[in-house]
Amino acid sequence: MQTKYNLLRQHFEELFALTDDEWNFVQSHFQYKSLKKHQFLIQAGQAVDFEYWIIKGLVKAYSIDDKGKEHILQFAMEKYWVSDHCAFQHQEPGTIFVDCLEDSEFFCLSLENREKICLEVPAVANFFRIKSNYGYINLQQRILSLLTMTAESRYEYLLNKLPKLIQRVPKKLIASYLGVSRETLSRFNS
Amino acid sequence: MQTKYNLLRQHFEELFALTDDEWNFVQSHFQYKSLKKHQFLIQAGQAVDFEYWIIKGLVKAYSIDDKGKEHILQFAMEKYWVSDHCAFQHQEPGTIFVDCLEDSEFFCLSLENREKICLEVPAVANFFRIKSNYGYINLQQRILSLLTMTAESRYEYLLNKLPKLIQRVPKKLIASYLGVSRETLSRFNS
DNA sequence: AGCTAAAAGTGACCTAAATCACTTTTCAAA
DNA sequence: TTTGAAAAGTGATTTAGGTCACTTTTAGCT
């Protein structure tokens, strides 16, 4: 288990160094969780008590529309953070589902604990500040890709950007992420 | 001018309180800028030296595709932050344009100064952390709206969410923001 | 290894929205 | 207050991508 915590420490320290004391304090605010493939991390309608850092595995975050169709908001794997951020931040019932595409392990951080470690350890506040900023930048680019590119070029773009992901995820889910039907994606390209 | 700085201080203090000393330090890292309608704040291809807080006015942030068509990434008005965040963060040439839809005034923050005040004043780091997080949440919702909703319901949704904005912005720009053609938008609704 | 279910591919057809071309309305600057 | 330009509306036509129905392939399970 300590090895797993060390992975998280390394993740924090990619951006800002922490003293051992700081790290021990921070670490004590996370809890471990493990799920099998097909199990839910978050379900719409329920409370979202945590933000999750993925130690190992792969999940999809998605919403389900009135016709029962699923729309993928995010794939998240090792070293990614995932949650229903909106529900988590506002401590409201969630609107999206997150489930495991592979057996997965997580470190869980509650809102209360997040605020506590951010206020206590400025390096952690700065860590989340920069991480959120990168996340924001990524979403802006995804929005631009939805506004400016055809479905086919979004697919090519994703193939280049995250080739490893494509191999771990069924194409029908890639289609859902890109906002295209499975059949249309199947008719693309190479 | 001090009145304008006070607006910015209030904006920071909506999330975390600052001492007068802290504020004086923070304030000294911003510079004032004013532009007339139709002037550019940021242009694709050029360095992006600042992030901007809007004191007064309204701008659009957009990219131009290979066919010369403009796609609106964001509208930003009083109390909003705007920049080419990607280019700014990586200190690379920009890829988007930001120009003024009305005469506008800004406070400008360089990357170096942002990092300086965040490291010096933890409340500022926490401020930007929370702001970025809210921004992230908003973009996730916009992505979901692009994936799950028809153009018409996205329009209705926007009418409810930001009625004031609609009145300040030509409909053809709203169309571009929603990812619909001007003509199609014009055929909608009520 | 054999079997079931999920995933992927494919043809035929349909539709939301884009595009093009033109008219009408609104607005801002002289 | 006129006037020229930008914005908005509208009809006709096209098109990217969706939907439906079915077949083939792949991947987990016992």
Side-chain angles (χ1 to χ4, degrees):
Chain A
M1 182 58 62
Q2 196 48 52
T3 320
K4 288 170 185 170
Y5 276 110
N6 284 339
L7 289 173
L8 181 56
R9 180 173 184 171
Q10 279 165 36
H11 179 66
F12 274 101
E13 294 204 324
E14 273 170 27
L15 293 178
F16 296 93
L18 296 171
T19 64
D20 287 345
D21 279 352
E22 284 173 336
W23 174 248
N24 288 332
F25 177 78
V26 169
Q27 177 181 315
S28 72
H29 290 79
F30 283 88
Q31 61 190 82
Y32 176 81
K33 177 169 186 137
S34 153
L35 290 177
K36 296 286 175 195
K37 186 169 173 173
H38 295 129
Q39 290 186 308
F40 285 96
L41 188 59
I42 291 173
Q43 280 182 275
Q46 304 192 355
V48 180
D49 295 325
F50 301 100
E51 215 159 49
Y52 300 91
W53 186 71
I54 303 177
I55 303 162
K56 183 181 153 306
L58 177 62
V59 305
K60 62 174 181 195
Y62 58 101
S63 83
I64 295 194
D65 68 21
D66 28 302
K67 282 165 197 144
K69 205 170 139 189
E70 99 183 27
H71 302 271
I72 295 188
L73 188 57
Q74 187 193 3
F75 292 110
M77 51 194 168
E78 293 78 17
K79 293 176 148 211
Y80 280 56
W81 291 86
V82 72
S83 189
D84 179 339
H85 294 287
C86 184
F88 175 74
Q89 183 68 43
H90 300 111
Q91 296 283 290
E92 292 167 357
T95 58
I96 65 169
F97 297 85
V98 179
D99 72 33
C100 300
L101 299 173
E102 301 174 0
D103 296 352
S104 303
E105 296 174 86
F106 311 90
F107 282 127
C108 318
L109 181 61
S110 70
L111 184 63
E112 194 186 340
N113 282 344
R114 190 189 72 185
E115 295 308 305
K116 212 187 270 183
I117 61 179
C118 284
L119 294 180
E120 184 74 22
V121 186
V124 170
N126 278 294
F127 171 84
F128 282 114
R129 171 177 68 86
I130 297 290
K131 275 285 159 195
S132 276
N133 198 230
Y134 283 140
Y136 183 88
I137 290 167
N138 276 324
L139 294 191
Q140 275 203 337
Q141 293 188 324
R142 182 155 169 219
I143 285 169
L144 273 184
S145 79
L146 286 167
L147 292 178
T148 65
M149 299 163 85
T150 63
E152 183 156 16
S153 49
R154 289 202 298 278
Y155 183 48
E156 283 162 17
Y157 179 73
L158 188 67
L159 283 175
N160 284 327
K161 199 177 169 195
L162 296 171
K164 291 169 254 162
L165 182 74
I166 314 291
Q167 280 145 20
R168 289 169 76 176
V169 174
K171 282 195 185 165
K172 67 166 189 170
L173 297 183
I174 302 293
S176 164
Y177 177 85
L178 293 172
V180 198
S181 73
R182 188 185 72 64
E183 294 92 331
T184 298
L185 186 85
S186 160
R187 282 181 246 263
F188 289 158
N189 99 298
S190 42
Chain B
M1 182 58 63
Q2 196 48 50
T3 321
K4 288 170 185 170
Y5 276 110
N6 284 340
L7 289 173
L8 181 56
R9 181 173 184 173
Q10 279 164 35
H11 178 67
F12 274 101
E13 294 203 325
E14 274 171 27
L15 293 178
F16 296 93
L18 296 170
T19 65
D20 287 346
D21 279 353
E22 283 173 337
W23 173 249
N24 287 332
F25 177 78
V26 168
Q27 176 181 314
S28 71
H29 291 80
F30 282 87
Q31 60 189 83
Y32 175 82
K33 176 169 187 136
S34 149
L35 290 177
K36 295 284 174 198
K37 187 169 171 171
H38 295 130
Q39 290 188 308
F40 284 97
L41 187 60
I42 292 173
Q43 280 183 273
Q46 303 192 355
V48 180
D49 294 324
F50 301 100
E51 222 161 40
Y52 301 91
W53 186 73
I54 304 177
I55 303 163
K56 185 182 154 303
L58 178 62
V59 306
K60 63 175 181 194
Y62 58 100
S63 85
I64 294 192
D65 69 21
D66 28 303
K67 282 166 197 143
K69 203 170 138 189
E70 102 184 25
H71 302 271
I72 295 188
L73 189 55
Q74 187 193 2
F75 292 109
M77 49 193 170
E78 294 79 16
K79 294 174 146 212
Y80 280 56
W81 291 86
V82 71
S83 188
D84 179 339
H85 295 286
C86 183
F88 175 73
Q89 183 66 42
H90 301 110
Q91 296 283 290
E92 292 166 358
T95 58
I96 66 170
F97 298 84
V98 179
D99 72 34
C100 300
L101 298 174
E102 303 174 358
D103 296 351
S104 304
E105 296 175 84
F106 311 91
F107 283 126
C108 319
L109 180 62
S110 71
L111 184 62
E112 194 187 340
N113 282 345
R114 189 189 71 184
E115 295 308 306
K116 214 187 270 183
I117 61 179
C118 283
L119 294 179
E120 185 74 23
V121 186
V124 170
N126 278 295
F127 170 84
F128 282 114
R129 170 177 69 83
I130 297 290
K131 274 284 159 197
S132 276
N133 197 231
Y134 284 140
Y136 183 88
I137 289 167
N138 276 324
L139 294 190
Q140 275 202 337
Q141 293 187 324
R142 182 155 170 218
I143 286 170
L144 273 184
S145 79
L146 287 167
L147 293 178
T148 65
M149 297 162 88
T150 63
E152 184 157 15
S153 48
R154 289 203 297 280
Y155 182 47
E156 283 163 16
Y157 178 74
L158 188 68
L159 282 177
N160 282 327
K161 198 177 167 193
L162 296 171
K164 291 170 253 164
L165 182 74
I166 314 291
Q167 280 147 19
R168 288 169 75 175
V169 173
K171 282 197 184 161
K172 66 165 191 173
L173 298 184
I174 301 292
S176 164
Y177 176 86
L178 294 172
V180 197
S181 72
R182 187 185 71 66
E183 294 92 332
T184 298
L185 186 85
S186 159
R187 282 182 248 261
F188 288 160
N189 100 296
S190 42

